[in-house]
Amino acid sequence: MGLLALALGGFGIGLTEFVIAGLLPQVSRSLNVSTAAAGWLISGYALTVAVGAIGVTAATAGLPRKPVLVGLVALFVAGNLLCAIAPNYPTMLLGRVVAALCHGTFFGIGSLVARRLVPPERASRAVAMMFAGLTVANVLGVPFGALVGERWGWRATFWAITATGAVALAAIAVLVPGWAGRVSGGAGGLRAQLRSFRSTQV
């Protein structure tokens, strides 16, 4: 059940990342900005994922992983709630940035936790199951989210994503055991994280 909770978190994050592409015309009209400016709701998210993941991962490297996962999903919920109620474009962009801060670190920590929930020989399958949430978001969630936006408005889509995040938050808090998120003694900060770049494979 813990793996399903992680997969649900991945589903919500994948949904919020990609569904905005089909809603840009609506968002731009509603917030009175050009389509090009609205495009920053995609680019700003992506840039935050790329840059923010390094800092967030380094800042949380030595902390117990389950509370970090819960905090990351709470950040995701807050960001999407901000998008759903955004009265203007700057608030909408801020919501996208806040939601994006959890993205890279969630999948990194979630993968480690998923591996510990199963016997070693099933670790790869567990990680694949967690990432299946992201796949389902792309294949089914994004078209459905766009359909919701077309029928009830783009804010309805973000309300649905917020609700999905809230369910994922509760599921992770209840179903992911604390022992799966304990940090080994080798965890380190930013310097330890950056040492990975010495590897030619990385």
Side-chain angles (χ1 to χ4, degrees):
M1 295 301 288
L3 287 175
L4 288 176
L6 294 172
L8 182 60
F11 173 83
I13 291 173
L15 185 57
T16 200
E17 178 182 12
F18 296 111
V19 76
I20 186 67
L23 302 174
L24 282 184
Q26 289 186 51
V27 173
S28 64
R29 288 194 301 269
S30 175
L31 300 179
N32 297 312
V33 296
S34 67
T35 304
W40 274 100
L41 299 173
I42 298 174
S43 303
Y45 186 100
L47 287 171
T48 304
V49 171
V51 177
I54 298 173
V56 174
T57 301
T60 59
L63 301 177
R65 291 175 182 137
K66 179 179 176 178
V68 171
L69 280 175
V70 170
L72 290 171
V73 180
L75 195 66
F76 168 83
V77 171
N80 282 287
L81 178 60
L82 199 58
C83 289
I85 64 174
N88 51 47
Y89 175 74
T91 306
M92 179 71 174
L93 184 58
L94 176 62
R96 293 288 290 169
V97 168
V98 170
L101 284 172
C102 78
H103 188 119
T105 308
F106 176 87
F107 284 109
I109 294 178
S111 297
L112 296 174
V113 172
R115 293 174 66 88
R116 296 192 65 182
L117 290 173
V118 298
E121 64 272 13
R122 295 176 55 197
S124 297
R125 187 176 298 177
V127 174
M129 182 174 177
M130 189 199 79
F131 275 90
L134 184 61
T135 303
V136 173
N138 279 306
V139 175
L140 299 178
V142 170
F144 181 73
L147 180 63
V148 169
E150 286 291 330
R151 191 173 181 89
W152 292 290
W154 64 269
R155 292 183 190 276
T157 300
F158 281 95
W159 279 114
I161 295 171
T162 301
T164 300
V167 173
L169 176 63
I172 290 171
V174 173
L175 300 176
V176 174
W179 54 261
R182 292 197 187 108
V183 180
S184 63
L190 180 59
R191 186 174 297 177
Q193 300 291 323
L194 291 177
R195 276 200 291 269
S196 300
F197 288 99
R198 294 180 182 175
S199 166
T200 54
Q201 289 181 323
V202 174

